[in-house]
Each structure stands twice: as structure tokens, then as C-alpha cells.
Amino acid sequence: MSSSEFIIIGGGMVAGYAAKELATRGLKSGQLTIISSDTALPYERPPLSKGFLLGKETEASILINSSDFYREQGIDVRLQTSVNTIDLSKHRVVTSANDELSYEKLLLATGARPRTLDVPGAKLDGVFYLRSMDDSRAIRERAEKSKQAVVIGSGFIGMEVASVLAQKNIRTTMIIREDRVWRRVFTPEMSAFFERYYSDRGVQLMKSGSLASIEGKHSVASAVLKDGRELPFDMVVAGVGAVPVTELAAKSGLQIENGVVVNEYLETSAAAVSAAGDIANYFDSLFQKRRRVEHWDNAVSQGQHWARVVTGDRRPFVHVPYFFSDIFDLSYELWGDSDGATENVVRGDMQSAKFSVWWLKDDRLIAAFVMNRPDEERQLAPQWIEAKKKVSPKVLADSAKPLQDALR
């Protein structure tokens, strides 16, 4: 049986950034093992629905660390390998290759899998989900020979994929279950802006649409909605959410509740075992609630934080939730959590692509969306959320006044 001081199960972004952080903190050769079921070294996920999907970025360009990095640091990366069992009492794992490894500190970063469609025809050739590099490559290859596509869902995956397909001159239709785009996150006015933006670029939006079946003999040919409408297409990409991969953690006896439950240090209910990334259900001290986040920034930040904790810098994980997206020629950023907001304020012009939205709860800033606005808005938004700053809604709405003047 071999041993490693640190073992990370999962070869995604958490692992890549944890390895990088450990390297800056004096990692020695042989101290870290990464066990990954993926076929590639840890890579950035955002390009999968953006530059990589467009064909502008390569596999090498989206790697978090080069292969030379792992070799030079003496990090053992075991690709196409999974873990069958974790023995918490003996601090060891058994891999799919029947190798036994002992650990001093273990990090679970098994990520999430796409939620799949549950309709007739969902397993036909031409139905895609986007989670991995292989998924993105398969969608890109199918798009090269497609003329019509359907995207199911209007969250960030659905919006980004629809943007890419439309830019490839594919007639693209988005089927949206809700009555407007990304209802869970956007205000009605924001949804209206993005709906116009997509429509002006040739994307058809079918709101309040519910898929009944996918038709075709061997490959997809059309989609039938529950109201009887039928759409012909060559490919469909479903972005209908994800499910945390917690089976291994549950089998090991760890506490599971919408992911793996961890404390403020990302530690699980078992000694020496932590969880990070898509599977981690952590307590957000800024918003006083538990949350599980499936996004790039969370994976990066939690991977780095774990590396700091296990090398002696034991501090609670405190982080303003952050999200960014690129669609067509637009880029925007979003911070915080708008749940419970009592008011939202707009700076700029919502008829243009240059505006920001600020969510307040009793005049305290809790979330902000910024697109094509002055840098000070991008810089101050997360600072004010973390500091729980109170602002004047009236002054905040007056974009002719400096943002700092809105502080109370």
C-alpha cells in the first residue's frame, strides 16, 4: 500500500487550483496524489461553453497547470481512475485499479453531473449535456454539421450555449420552462433586455414551454412540446441543472444534505476529510445560510482555501459568491445573493448594454450585476457586499453621481 500526505478525489478545478496553491506553500515531491476519472489533466470549465465550444481555445490552452507542472512538483495524477471505497477509520482509499493508498488529509471534489431529460427519445443520438471537455468537443463537432438546434433551459449554460450556436449560424431555439429568461436570477427588466438581445441575433425563444418528447429513428429529428408544438432540429443541448456526485461520500458514512455537509473550514463530519467545489454544502457566514455553489469561482476559491488550511493557515471560508458570463459580444459579472431583497436599483440605461443592477435588503447591499460600467462598480460591489454596507437607493440610482456618494 502506498501513501500520500494529501489525496484529492476528483480531477476538476478544485484539484487544479489546490495543487497550484500547495506548490506555492512548499509542497514536496510525493506529498500529493490526485485521483481523477477524467481523461485530461485539471482544466478550466468556463471555456467549455465559451471559447473552447466556439473553437477559439484548445485543450492545452485551458489546462490549469501544464503536465510539466505536475511532473516537476512530484504530484501523482492518476487519470481515468475512480475511488471505490474510503475507509475513514484507517485513512485509506481503494481505487478502481485495486490500489490502496493511505492519506493524512483527504479532499473530496467529485463535482456534479448534468441533470438529464426524462422524456421519450432522450437517449437518441444528438442529445447533449455540457459538463466536461469531452461533452464540449462532442457538441462542437455536431454543430459543424447542424443547421437547426434546440437549447433547453435559460440558465447560464443554456444562454451561453445558445449564444455560441447562433454565432455558428445555426438556427437556434431556446425552450424555456418559465415565463422569462433566467427567472431565478434576473429581474423582469433584465430578462426583457436579454430576451430582446437574443431575438435580435436570431435566437427564437419559446417561453413557458415544456418538452413532451424528442422524435427520431436513430438520431434526433424534432421536439414535441406539451402544448403540441413541434420543432425540427439536428441537435439538442439540455442545460437543466446538475446533481452533486455524492455517492462515494454517502457510502463512506459522511453527512449528506444537498451535497456533502462541511463546516466553516470545509471539513466534513469525518476527521481529516474535507469537501470542496460543487459537492460542498457550506455555511456562508456573510449571508447566514447554507449554500452549495456550482460555479468556477467557488471551485477556485475553495480549492485554494483547503490548501491553505491543511498547510497551517486555519481560517474560516468567507467568500462573496461570484459569477460571470460571456454571451455574444457581452460580458457581465454578478456578486452576492439577491434572495430576500426588498428593492433593486438600476444605474445606467437598461435599453443599452451598459447598466448595473443593485439588490438591497433594508438598504444594505446584498447583490450586484455589472455590465459595461465603470471599473469602480466592479471593484466596490463585492467589497460593499462583504462589508454589509448600507446605501442610499436614490443616490445609487443617479449614475451621474459618483458611486461612493451612495454610501450611508
Side-chain angles (χ1 to χ4, degrees):
M1 179 172 66
S2 59
S3 64
S4 188
E5 183 172 350
F6 308 118
I7 292 180
I8 302 176
I9 301 176
M13 293 184 52
V14 170
Y17 279 93
K20 181 181 286 189
E21 183 69 18
L22 285 172
T24 68
R25 301 177 70 84
L27 182 73
K28 295 181 175 60
S29 180
Q31 278 189 301
L32 174 62
T33 298
I34 297 173
I35 303 173
S36 172
S37 59
D38 211 326
T39 58
L41 293 170
Y43 50 85
E44 303 282 6
R45 302 284 171 157
L48 301 184
S49 55
K50 302 179 181 74
F52 187 81
L53 187 58
L54 268 169
K56 293 181 177 180
E57 295 186 69
T58 65
E59 178 176 333
S61 71
I62 68 173
L63 291 179
I64 297 168
N65 308 299
S66 68
S67 57
D68 289 343
F69 166 84
Y70 297 100
R71 185 180 64 255
E72 291 166 1
Q73 294 294 328
I75 299 171
D76 181 8
V77 182
R78 304 189 181 196
L79 298 178
Q80 300 184 67
T81 305
S82 58
V83 171
N84 291 337
T85 59
I86 303 172
D87 188 329
L88 297 176
S89 62
K90 296 182 179 179
H91 287 205
R92 68 183 183 186
V93 302
V94 180
T95 73
S96 53
N98 281 326
D99 292 329
E100 289 191 18
L101 295 86
S102 66
Y103 62 85
E104 292 183 28
K105 299 290 184 180
L106 177 68
L107 177 62
L108 297 177
T110 46
R113 66 172 66 91
R115 195 180 301 277
T116 57
L117 298 173
D118 185 20
V119 297
K123 295 187 177 181
L124 285 169
D125 178 54
V127 178
F128 298 94
Y129 305 92
L130 180 53
R131 197 71 191 176
S132 68
M133 187 187 296
D134 289 341
D135 294 336
S136 184
R137 187 182 293 109
I139 293 170
R140 188 173 66 187
E141 291 172 356
R142 182 74 174 213
E144 295 302 319
K145 54 186 179 182
S146 295
K147 296 181 179 180
Q148 300 179 91
V150 165
V151 175
I152 301 173
S154 66
F156 75 91
I157 289 293
M159 292 184 72
E160 290 179 354
V161 170
S163 164
V164 169
L165 295 178
Q167 289 178 76
K168 290 178 175 287
N169 296 318
I170 297 171
R171 292 195 298 276
T172 303
T173 300
M174 291 180 69
I175 299 176
I176 305 167
R177 176 170 297 192
E178 296 80 16
D179 60 350
R180 57 185 176 87
V181 165
W182 212 2
R183 182 186 179 96
R184 183 177 63 84
V185 174
F186 291 163
T187 66
E189 295 78 14
M190 293 169 70
S191 292
F193 167 82
F194 284 105
E195 287 169 14
R196 289 193 303 271
Y197 206 85
Y198 274 68
S199 295
D200 290 346
R201 284 150 186 79
V203 178
Q204 181 183 5
L205 305 176
M206 301 189 74
K207 295 183 283 187
S208 301
S210 186
L211 189 66
S213 66
I214 298 173
E215 304 297 322
K217 290 186 178 180
H218 303 292
S219 184
V220 296
S222 65
V224 178
L225 304 188
K226 288 186 178 177
D227 63 8
R229 288 179 290 178
E230 186 168 358
L231 289 170
F233 64 87
D234 306 306
M235 62 182 295
V236 57
V237 182
V240 291
V243 180
V245 179
T246 58
E247 291 83 357
L248 177 64
K251 185 172 70 171
S252 304
L254 298 177
Q255 183 182 356
I256 307 295
E257 184 179 338
N258 182 29
V260 180
V261 177
V262 297
N263 64 14
E264 66 270 34
Y265 303 101
L266 305 182
E267 297 163 337
T268 71
S269 53
V273 180
S274 301
D278 295 349
I279 65 167
N281 179 341
Y282 72 97
F283 183 73
D284 184 339
S285 61
L286 292 177
F287 289 88
Q288 293 295 299
K289 64 192 288 187
R290 283 203 161 269
R291 73 169 73 247
R292 186 178 62 80
V293 181
E294 298 168 4
H295 194 254
W296 169 85
D297 178 66
N298 184 66
V300 172
S301 299
Q302 291 192 345
Q304 294 169 332
H305 189 83
W306 173 80
R308 291 191 287 267
V309 169
V310 297
T311 52
D313 187 5
R314 185 174 169 79
R315 302 182 192 180
F317 179 70
V318 179
H319 187 68
V320 176
Y322 170 75
F323 168 83
F324 78 94
S325 185
D326 298 325
I327 51 172
F328 293 105
D329 55 348
L330 297 179
S331 295
Y332 65 79
E333 295 172 280
L334 180 67
W335 296 267
D337 181 349
S338 63
D339 187 39
T342 54
E343 183 178 5
N344 63 74
V345 177
V346 177
R347 284 175 71 84
D349 179 13
M350 287 203 72
Q351 298 305 309
S352 73
K354 299 179 180 180
F355 64 88
S356 55
V357 181
W358 306 73
W359 286 265
L360 311 178
K361 184 175 183 179
D362 301 325
D363 291 347
R364 179 171 63 84
L365 183 66
I366 60 173
F369 166 99
V370 179
M371 182 168 66
N372 293 332
R373 294 289 299 161
D375 283 346
E376 69 165 356
E377 296 192 12
R378 296 178 56 257
Q379 294 162 1
L380 292 177
Q383 294 176 22
W384 287 4
I385 293 169
E386 184 170 3
K388 301 183 179 180
K389 294 289 188 181
K390 285 201 168 188
V391 298
S392 164
K394 183 178 180 180
V395 177
L396 185 61
D398 187 350
S399 56
K401 294 183 178 180
L403 186 63
Q404 287 277 12
D405 289 357
L407 281 179
R408 285 188 168 178

